[in-house]
Amino acid sequence: TTDSTDSCEELDIVRVGANYGWPDVGEFPFSDCYAGSQERAIHLFAGEGKQPGGFQSGIGVTGLSFLSGTKYTALGEGLLVCGSSDGLMRRLVLSGEQVTANDVVIKGCDLDVAVSADGTIYYSGKTGISRLAPGAGTPAATTPTP
């Protein structure tokens, strides 16, 4: 049986003609997220206590949205990501084609995240839709990714 964590959740820079599909390396599940010769991700998502790149470590990405950081100065710019398996909203900081930080912002984001035209962050979980108050959601920890 497979579930949302039986995969490798990744963030890619999409290039014309590149292979982002499942690797042809034998039986499923694969040994890790680097099996095969497909395009390498710039970031592999991992749940709490799991290693990025380890098969079955994914978080089941359910929503993402870019944040400008003008309304939430403590967060700054980044990519907000929600995951179904752990309910965490993460902020990824991108520098060129690298993820330089992976911070937990808040719990309760099991479904989706959106940034309105005025810069307000809205996120949804199993119990409803919430608004992140400016000043809330200061990144808990910054962990540079390989």
Side-chain angles (χ1 to χ4, degrees), residues 39-89:
E39 189 75 18
R40 290 271 179 148
I42 66 165
H43 179 74
L44 292 168
F45 294 96
E48 287 185 300
K50 306 270 183 151
Q51 288 295 325
F55 195 76
Q56 298 181 330
S57 64
I59 61 169
V61 172
T62 55
L64 52 90
S65 188
F66 281 102
L67 175 66
S68 71
T70 55
K71 191 167 193 165
Y72 298 85
T73 55
L75 290 177
E77 294 184 352
L79 177 65
L80 299 175
V81 181
C82 292
S84 63
S85 62
D86 60 9
L88 297 176
M89 179 192 299

Side-chain angles (χ1 to χ4, degrees), residues 3 19 21 36 41 53 66 78 82 99-100 107 124 129-130 139 142:
D3 64 26
N19 175 9
F66 281 102
C82 292
V99 174
T100 58
K107 289 190 174 218
S124 58
I129 299 171
S130 301
T142 300

Side-chain angles (χ1 to χ4, degrees), residues 6 24 33 39 58 78 81 99 106-107 113:
D6 284 342
D24 185 14
C33 297
E39 189 75 18
V81 181
V99 174
I106 196 166
K107 289 190 174 218
V113 60

Side-chain angles (χ1 to χ4, degrees), residues 62 82 108-114 122-130:
T62 55
C82 292
C109 190
D110 303 293
L111 299 175
D112 204 0
V113 60
Y122 293 92
Y123 61 98
S124 58
K126 295 174 183 164
T127 59
I129 299 171
S130 301

